Structure formats: C-alpha cells, structure tokens
Amino acid sequence: MATVGKVIKCRAAVAWGPNIPLVMEEIEVAPPEANEIRIKIVATAVCHTDLYFLRERGRGEGFPAVLGHEGAGIVESVGPGVTRFNPGDTVIPLFVSQCRDCRFCRNPNTNQCDKSWPGKRLDVSSDTTSRLQCRGQTLLQYMGTSTFSEYTVVKEIAAAKIPDSAPLDKACLLGCGVATGYGAAVNTAKVEPGSTCAVFGLGGVGLAAVMGCKAAGASRIFAVDINKDKFPKAELLGATDFVNPKDYDKPISQVLAEMTNGGVDFALECVGSVEVMRSALESCVKGWGVSVLTGYNDSQDVSARCLQFLAGRTLKGSLFGGYKSVDSVPKLVSDVMSGKLQLDEFVTKTLPLDQINEAFDLMANSEGIRTVLNVLAL
Ligand code: CXF
Ligand code: ZN
C-alpha cells in the first residue's frame, strides 16, 4: 500500500469544543506505532455516549477530539510487534480491550482489561497519546477508538478481527450499543428461562437488552419508556408488556410490583438516569431480584435505601455487556450472519459521514435508534 509508513491526510468530524457542532476537517493520521494498527473506517454509528460527551456533560475538558466508538473497517497497516492482524483484515475497534494477559483478562468473570482505555476518563486513549492531528493541534482519541474519521489508529488489543464478508454497516453496532444491551441481559444479569424482566429505556441498548432477555428465555419482558412510539419495535424484538410511566400517578416500581406479584426477577437500566437506576432497583422482587445498570452519568450519584439491599436485591453494572471483547465480538458477528442476532431493526437511518451533525440531532431528539454513517474514503 502506498500509504504504509506515511502520514495519511483524510477527512474526520472534529469536536472542537462542547456544545458546538462537529466540523468536517482534513486531519493527519500518523502511522501506527508499536502494537498499534491503522484502520480505514467503512461504517460508524452514533451512540448516546458520543452525544453525552459532546452536548450534555457540561464540562469543557477533553477537546479537541475525534469522537465515535461504534465502527467497523479494514486494517490499512500495522505497527511494529503486531501479531494479531495483517493489512486487509476486517475489524471492529473496541473501547474495552482484551490483552489476554492482565489479572482481569485472566479472570473468566470480568471483561475489565487493565490495559483498556480507563473508564474514569472519556477523553483520551489509554496511554494518553494520539495519532491524530488537525491544524497543528493534537486531537484526543475519544475512548481510544475515534471512529468518526476516515482513518484511525487503535491498539491491537483494542480490535476484533471479523470475517471479510460481515455486513459492516450493521456489524459496527456491535462496537457498543447492541453488545452492551444484549450482554447486560445474558452475561451480567444472567437472565433465566421463565423469568420476568423489565427493560428501562428503549433506545439501542434497551432494545438489545430486550433481545437478550428473549434469547435467555424470559417469559415476560416489560418494556418501559416514556415514549410510547418506542413500543412496537420492542415488541418485534421480544417484549411482551409495555409500560409508560406517564400513564400512572404512582411510582413505576409499584406498577411493576402489582403486575408481577411483587417485582421482576431482573431489571435493566438503559437510560443513564440516576432516577431510573433507582426505579429499576426498586422494581426488582425482594429476595433475589437483580438490577443491572448500563447507562452512564458522571455528575450525579445513584442512591437507594439500604433496605433494598438488605431485602436481597442486587445492583450490578455492565460495561460492554460484560463481554471479553476480542473473543466475543467475532462470535456476535457470526450470530448476526447466521440470523440468530437481528441488527436490521436498529438501523433507522443511513447518512454519509459529513452529515454527522444530523445524526447527533436525531439522537438528541430520540428519533430512530441508530444512524449509521457511511465513510467513503478512497
Ligand atoms: C459507555 C458508558 C460510559 C463508559 C464507557 C461506555 N457505554 C456506552 O457507550
Ligand atoms: Zn456507546
């Protein structure tokens, strides 16, 4: 390849600061350094965390940056020491890495790789360096992935190799939303056959959680959302009951308790609201109810009465659906290719990368589930 070892000039959507639209810019992408790979992005989608970081977080740090963490593409070149990839491989960049070597990778019960982009900060790749530059400034590599660009560089431990024949315009959703929700149900909650579940929030993560509850054999899946227009898709993916908190003048936990003889076995919070996290916990049945939060908010604390826990409820968190990323994403892709996992319903709009601000507006207005951006670099 003519570009190997050279700086690539390409187009990317740059976030120059909070609460201002992204700007399509020409950026420079340096060659991959040791144990890194440079990827030509083919498709990428906007996740709510991108929107949260840009518009809702309310702090000025972490800019300029290239956002984006639901992407898929082709390896353009590899840095020294790379053993897992060759140029031409089809890959999904991963914001949770899997080095296979650290204490956490060696433990079968967690996916919290110690070499991962640190969960504490949303603004930098894990070693705080960046291969992206624009107008003489370094662009932070958001979540270590920066997929809103024609080219990006990631660590080799932060990419999953997938079949060349995978449909990248859908498989990119496995980089976050679908894996997060589906895995929260099957891996973290460990939903049981015949159980009752409630899924709070019917965006991409929530719908995937509904799919996970169904796949795990739940007998009743309550879909909870303040927007009733979200219910038909939830039904299509397996929800059996629909609850709009706006229709009731009592806490939704009480409504669910009355509908389920005391509360659901499993509750999944897929909104990122601390109030909803508390409701989800309180909606679980005493004795054994498990509540899993997938949403994110770094400015407010989650609170709950001690008695909720003393009565036998458990509150858990799930990052990337608890999946050991490098090992699991190829399996999820093969589930998509065999028809076991349905992604079509999640893609509600397709746009070129340069219309990315429209995709952010759609997400902000809760219109549709995922906008997939086609990245059309030569
Ligand atoms: C995020 C939530 C905030 C931490 C990183 C992962 N989940 C999905 O976008
Ligand atoms: Zn995400």
Side-chain angles (χ1 to χ4, degrees), residues 6 16 35 54 108 121 129 131 157 184 202 292 309 313:
K6 297 187 182 142
W16 287 107
N35 308 116
L54 184 67
R121 299 192 62 185
T129 58
R131 307 285 163 251
I157 57 169
L202 302 173
V292 174
F309 304 107
R313 296 178 184 86

Side-chain angles (χ1 to χ4, degrees), residues 57-58 73 84 94 99 113 119 121 124 141 199 204 337 342 359:
R57 193 179 187 220
R84 296 187 188 179
L94 303 166
C99 72
C113 173
R121 299 192 62 185
V124 289
Q141 290 198 227
V199 176
M337 292 171 79
Q342 167 69 263

Side-chain angles (χ1 to χ4, degrees), residues 8 33 37 40 67-68 70 79 105 123 125-126 131 146 179 226 233 248 264 283 290 309 313-314 329 336 353:
I8 292 180
E33 296 192 3
I37 59 175
K40 178 179 188 291
L67 309 179
E70 277 186 5
C105 282
D123 56 349
S125 63
S126 52
R131 307 285 163 251
S146 291
I226 53 172
K233 199 154 270 192
Y248 299 90
V264 294
S283 300
V290 174
F309 304 107
R313 296 178 184 86
T314 304
V329 166
V336 170
L353 179 63

Side-chain angles (χ1 to χ4, degrees), residues 57 132 140 271 274-275:
R57 193 179 187 220
L132 313 182
L140 293 169
V271 177
V274 294
E275 287 83 23

Side-chain angles (χ1 to χ4, degrees), residues 25-206:
E25 302 269 11
E26 184 179 85
I27 70 163
E28 289 104 51
V29 182
E33 296 192 3
N35 308 116
E36 295 177 344
I37 59 175
R38 188 159 60 182
I39 301 168
K40 178 179 188 291
I41 297 291
V42 172
T44 180
V46 179
C47 166
H48 197 275
T49 308
D50 300 305
L51 177 76
Y52 176 76
F53 180 76
L54 184 67
R55 295 192 186 172
E56 297 170 24
R57 193 179 187 220
R59 302 209 298 259
E61 76 230 44
F63 297 96
V66 176
L67 309 179
H69 61 285
E70 277 186 5
I74 316 283
V75 176
E76 173 269 344
S77 61
V78 303
V82 167
T83 55
R84 296 187 188 179
F85 298 98
N86 291 304
D89 285 346
T90 303
V91 291
I92 292 185
L94 303 166
F95 68 87
V96 174
S97 58
Q98 187 188 352
C99 72
R100 298 202 174 108
D101 194 37
C102 73
R103 180 181 177 194
F104 301 90
C105 282
R106 286 175 185 273
N107 184 310
N109 301 316
T110 181
N111 66 346
Q112 304 267 337
C113 173
D114 224 10
K115 302 205 181 92
S116 221
W117 153 82
K120 286 201 282 293
R121 299 192 62 185
L122 284 174
D123 56 349
V124 289
S125 63
S126 52
D127 64 357
T128 74
T129 58
S130 170
R131 307 285 163 251
L132 313 182
Q133 296 259 320
C134 182
R135 300 175 188 270
Q137 291 190 59
T138 297
L139 302 173
L140 293 169
Q141 290 198 227
Y142 171 76
M143 286 168 86
T145 49
S146 291
T147 58
F148 296 156
S149 176
E150 290 173 343
Y151 287 85
T152 190
V153 176
V154 306
K155 293 176 181 308
E156 74 166 322
I157 57 169
K161 188 167 166 173
I162 64 169
D164 298 347
S165 52
L168 300 191
D169 53 348
K170 294 197 247 313
C172 61
L173 304 186
L174 296 171
C176 182
V178 172
T180 296
Y182 196 84
V186 301
N187 299 327
T188 313
K190 300 192 194 306
V191 168
E192 293 164 4
S195 62
T196 53
C197 300
V199 176
F200 291 75
L202 302 173
V205 174

